[in-house]
């Protein structure tokens, strides 16, 4: 839980930066700093797949309570692997959620930078990028007015 709070505080600090400046790079490095990377441990990858199934494929379009329990259990496990990927994903979710709550337009550059880093980490760790990340990337490119690039991903 402390990691989630730290992540949210860092996100608010970094949220105002549009380019991959020193603060953004520091933010990503902080997330990756203590990462325990294990290409065989697919817990986080499975979580992202389930997130996609619950949010974008189910009739309700809502997360089940078990999802937050799984995330909390993962953060409570001092030996959990690949949390840097989950942290990047949750930072993206937090950015989107907070801008929606405030009625603001998300920072498209920040979104795309975060998703680029998330895709890189997923590809290097697991050799795949889950569908939910690809969908988010298309949306982020479109919000940046990069319709040609987003069409190429479809």
């Amino acid at each position: 839980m402390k990691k989630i709070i730290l992540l949210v505080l860092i996100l608010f600090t970094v949220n105002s930066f549009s380019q991959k400046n020193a603060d953004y790079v520091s933010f990503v490095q902080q997330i990756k700093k203590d990462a325990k990377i294990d290409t065989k441990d697919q817990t986080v990858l499975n979580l992202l797949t389930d997130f996609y199934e619950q949010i974008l494929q189910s009739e309700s379009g809502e997360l089940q309570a078990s999802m937050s329990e799984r995330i909390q259990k993962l953060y409570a496990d001092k030996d959990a692997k690949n949390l840097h990927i989950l942290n990047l994903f949750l930072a993206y979710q937090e950015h989107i959620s907070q801008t929606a709550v405030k009625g603001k337009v998300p920072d498209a550059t920040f979104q795309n930078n975060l998703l680029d880093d998330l895709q890189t980490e997923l590809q290097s760790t697991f050799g795949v990028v889950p569908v939910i990340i690809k969908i988010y990337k298309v949306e982020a490119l479109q919000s940046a007015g990069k319709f040609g690039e987003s069409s190429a991903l479809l």
Side-chain angles (χ1 to χ4, degrees):
M1 193 60 159
K2 288 193 293 186
K3 288 183 181 182
I4 293 174
I5 293 169
L6 176 63
L7 179 65
V8 170
L9 291 174
I10 291 170
L11 178 63
F12 287 128
T13 303
V14 174
N15 192 23
S16 62
F17 303 105
S18 295
Q19 301 299 319
K20 270 193 176 181
N21 61 22
D23 290 321
Y24 177 83
V25 172
S26 175
F27 165 69
V28 173
Q29 286 175 341
Q30 181 65 36
I31 286 176
K32 293 169 46 175
K33 179 181 165 193
D34 298 321
K36 297 175 185 172
I37 299 171
D38 183 349
T39 59
K40 292 180 171 92
D41 185 336
Q42 298 201 346
T43 305
V44 171
L45 183 63
N46 293 335
L47 194 95
L48 294 177
T49 300
D50 293 347
F51 199 95
Y52 166 73
E53 292 292 331
Q54 290 181 26
I55 292 290
L56 300 176
Q57 294 296 303
S58 72
E59 290 290 323
S60 69
E62 296 179 7
L63 284 178
Q64 298 170 2
S66 63
M67 181 62 75
S68 62
E69 292 169 9
R70 286 172 60 194
I71 291 171
Q72 288 176 0
K73 183 179 174 186
L74 195 57
Y75 278 114
D77 181 358
K78 64 181 171 82
D79 296 319
K81 310 290 190 291
N82 307 317
L83 285 180
H84 64 297
I85 292 172
L86 183 59
N87 289 338
L88 288 169
F89 178 76
L90 292 176
Y92 178 82
Q93 288 294 124
E94 181 69 17
H95 175 71
I96 296 302
S97 299
Q98 288 301 314
T99 54
V101 165
K102 295 176 182 176
K104 295 183 177 181
V105 176
D107 181 337
T109 304
F110 179 74
Q111 284 179 272
N112 280 294
N113 287 342
L114 201 51
L115 287 168
D116 286 345
D117 289 326
L118 184 53
Q119 285 179 303
T120 299
E121 290 302 318
L122 284 159
Q123 190 66 45
S124 68
T125 304
F126 301 116
V128 297
V129 176
V131 174
I132 193 164
I133 305 306
K134 293 176 183 179
I135 291 170
Y136 286 171
K137 183 62 179 177
V138 168
E139 292 174 349
L141 287 169
Q142 289 177 348
S143 71
K146 298 179 179 181
F147 298 102
E149 286 182 53
S150 69
S151 295
L153 294 178
L154 300 174

